[in-house]
Amino acid sequence: MASRVTAVRGPMIWFRGDPFLSPREDVFVHESDGLLICEDGIITASGGHRELAHRLPAGLTPTHYPDHVISAGFIDTHTHYVQTGIIAAFGSQLIDWLNHYTFVEEQRFSDAGYARRVASAFCDELLRNGTTTALAFCAVYPQSVDALFEEASRRNMRIAAGKVLMDRNAPDALLDTPRSGYEDSKALLERWHGTGRNLYAITPRFAPTSTPEQLEAAGALWREHPGALMHTHVSENTGEISWVRALFPERRGYLDVYDHYGLLGPRAVLAHGVHLTRHERDRCAETGAAVSHCPTSNLFLGSGLFHVHDAKDSRHPMTVGLGTDIGAGTSFSLLATMNEAYKVAELSNYPLDSVKAFFLATLGGARAMGAGDRVGSLESGHEADFVVLDPRATPLLAQRTSRAEGIEELLFTLAVMGDDRTVRATYVAGVLAHDRDTPSASA
Ligand code: GUN
Ligand code: ZN
């Protein structure tokens, strides 16, 4: 079969390494007139148009986006597709918010039809926001997981997701058991992990809603399938941390609960980590467990301020990505998430610059998911998931970006002022999947 070749041209940025740890000139690539050639969903060439134009197949004219910025697609390292309907729920912090809103909405996902409709809207919203990969919580019901993977497969998106494990401290209708949780997760993992672009994540909700027996079973499942991801929450809210201490008095702290049950390591993504201690951060770095920084959620629920400079301290750097944490988070946009991450960092007097912010939203997130060799970069050999950003998306943005001096200021302005309107187009595996201006052209 003839291979499918596509190409785009325009200003481009991407990463070859971590700008928190290496000089940016070594790891940050900016082509003012770049060319990206993709073959069967894989980037086969990326660089300057002048240098690469001769590699275009005869007759293929690249889609040209002059005056835009082409970046690797955004990676959302922590979200809940089943909470799409409860964004902006008023008035409570974490535990009350879970009880009043979340645990009510998630029960609706026992209905496969409802799950399918929300999963479809969720995937479309990701693409409208330039997010090509997400690591998502589903609900406790296996059919809620099938719904998301089916919708992701229809769009050929690289999505990681899993069935929530929870066997205590929630309404009965949302509880599984250590045995049923293990067996349902195993069956889903075997059905979906590595099927197409799908990845399975073993997903204990958080320590308070799992018994020791369930965490033990989750650890056993991960040992049997070490290529899968592990996805949970940690140290988001101070009340939650006290609760974990009361539930697991024999453990040294919240992180130690997961450590004890074998739930830390590469491909473990822990959402929030706002209140992790220095020792706990070191332990994450040592084991390879990553943290998903979710600033819009942390501000919305009043959880606290994540210190990204401590997490990325070059003496013991952790792997960090950005997460929207829908529906405690308030936006699907990784641009909006970078904006809030900047403000949270400012509150501890750390200027999170645009190069670092875009790294967290792309290759940093991909690495957190153990997929940094496949997505999150425009480097040749990566999968051709990318986003085309429009610096003139609104009159105000156009006015401001016209004064930007250089790519770093332009990226900063896009991060601080951008949202879904800024996403001109999103490509998935080399194919146009969302086109802001001609929606009917989308795949
Ligand atoms: N901790 C346990 N469950 C959740 C959830 O659904 N959202 C957030 N933000 N934190 C949690
Ligand atoms: Zn969450």
Side-chain angles (χ1 to χ4, degrees):
M1 205 171 74
S3 58
R4 177 170 185 164
V5 183
T6 51
V8 295
R9 176 181 177 184
M12 280 173 200
I13 60 131
W14 73 92
F15 294 88
R16 295 193 169 121
D18 185 340
F20 286 91
L21 308 178
S22 304
R24 71 186 41 192
E25 54 277 16
D26 295 348
V27 297
F28 174 60
V29 184
H30 169 227
E31 293 288 352
S32 54
D33 181 16
L35 179 65
L36 198 66
I37 305 176
C38 317
E39 208 169 319
D40 292 334
I42 303 293
I43 297 167
T44 51
S46 55
H49 178 265
R50 184 196 293 265
E51 291 75 32
L52 291 179
H54 70 279
R55 295 197 32 196
L56 285 166
L60 178 67
T61 306
T63 306
H64 198 187
Y65 295 103
D67 305 321
H68 287 64
V69 178
I70 301 169
S71 160
F74 296 129
I75 313 278
D76 184 347
T77 56
H78 177 67
T79 184
H80 301 249
Y81 100 82
V82 292
Q83 295 175 17
T84 304
I86 56 154
I87 300 173
F90 176 76
S92 14
Q93 292 207 349
L94 177 63
I95 304 301
D96 288 340
W97 174 85
L98 284 173
N99 288 320
H100 291 154
Y101 300 110
T102 316
F103 290 162
V104 177
E105 174 65 11
E106 291 190 11
Q107 293 181 47
R108 301 181 71 181
F109 288 79
S110 61
D111 173 349
Y114 184 70
R116 169 65 67 90
R117 289 193 294 282
V118 177
S120 176
F122 174 83
C123 289
D124 288 344
E125 197 60 28
L126 292 180
L127 294 173
R128 279 175 21 75
N129 282 279
T131 300
T132 47
T133 284
L135 171 56
F137 268 64
C138 302
V140 72
Y141 315 108
Q143 56 270 36
S144 72
V145 182
D146 289 334
L148 181 59
F149 280 133
E150 282 162 13
E151 291 303 315
S153 301
R154 274 165 25 93
R155 294 163 180 79
N156 197 23
M157 297 169 73
R158 190 171 275 293
I159 294 288
K163 177 204 119 61
V164 172
L165 294 162
M166 49 195 307
D167 67 346
R168 64 170 167 175
N169 292 323
D172 285 349
L174 281 182
L175 298 183
D176 54 14
T177 67
R179 190 185 177 96
S180 72
Y182 171 88
E183 286 176 354
D184 287 347
S185 299
K186 186 177 173 69
L188 288 162
L189 192 158
E190 287 170 355
R191 188 176 318 148
W192 290 112
H193 187 65
T195 304
R197 301 185 74 198
N198 300 305
L199 300 169
Y200 194 80
I202 297 163
T203 308
R205 175 167 222 121
F206 67 156
T209 47
S210 286
T211 57
E213 294 71 31
Q214 179 158 75
L215 295 174
E216 184 81 50
L221 184 59
W222 203 23
R223 279 191 297 282
E224 290 158 29
H225 298 275
L229 285 79
M230 203 294 296
H231 188 196
T232 191
H233 298 89
V234 74
S235 295
E236 174 178 2
N237 165 292
T238 52
E240 169 208 18
I241 296 169
S242 308
W243 194 19
V244 172
R245 283 193 182 283
L247 290 169
F248 296 90
E250 64 289 1
R251 302 271 63 90
R252 268 175 301 164
Y254 198 159
L255 190 81
D256 190 47
V257 175
Y258 298 137
D259 205 352
H260 178 76
Y261 293 105
L263 295 171
L264 301 182
R267 290 180 295 287
V269 180
L270 313 172
H272 307 297
V274 170
H275 305 284
L276 287 174
T277 63
R278 163 83 197 262
H279 173 78
E280 288 176 318
R281 292 196 303 271
D282 286 353
R283 185 66 188 142
C284 287
E286 201 171 86
T287 59
V291 163
S292 174
H293 173 29
C294 307
T296 74
S297 168
N298 297 158
L299 295 171
F300 183 73
L301 291 181
S303 302
L305 305 174
F306 179 77
H307 297 298
V308 71
H309 59 294
D310 286 342
K312 297 297 296 185
D313 184 331
S314 59
R315 287 164 299 178
H316 48 90
M318 290 167 59
T319 305
V320 178
L322 291 180
T324 62
D325 194 26
I326 296 300
T330 50
S331 173
F332 272 75
S333 171
L334 265 294
L335 294 169
T337 306
M338 286 187 246
N339 174 22
E340 298 305 297
Y342 171 79
K343 294 172 189 168
V344 166
E346 275 298 306
L347 283 166
S348 45
N349 206 18
Y350 175 74
L352 178 65
D353 65 55
S354 61
V355 168
K356 289 177 174 149
F358 268 79
F359 169 78
L360 293 176
T362 57
L363 186 59
R367 287 181 169 181
M369 294 176 60
D373 55 344
R374 295 195 266 195
V375 292
S377 176
L378 301 183
E379 197 70 8
S380 177
H382 278 69
E383 296 168 4
D385 292 343
F386 51 90
V387 57
V388 183
L389 301 172
D390 179 3
R392 293 183 293 200
T394 68
L396 183 64
L397 192 60
Q399 177 272 120
R400 178 62 186 88
T401 56
S402 71
R403 300 166 62 143
E405 291 177 11
I407 187 67
E408 294 190 24
E409 187 177 343
L410 178 61
L411 293 177
F412 185 68
T413 315
L414 288 170
V416 172
M417 298 175 72
D419 55 30
D420 53 344
R421 294 168 297 179
T422 316
V423 175
R424 169 72 175 80
T426 307
Y427 286 74
V428 172
V431 176
L432 182 65
H434 164 70
D435 188 329
R436 183 194 64 195
D437 298 344
T438 48
S440 59
S442 303

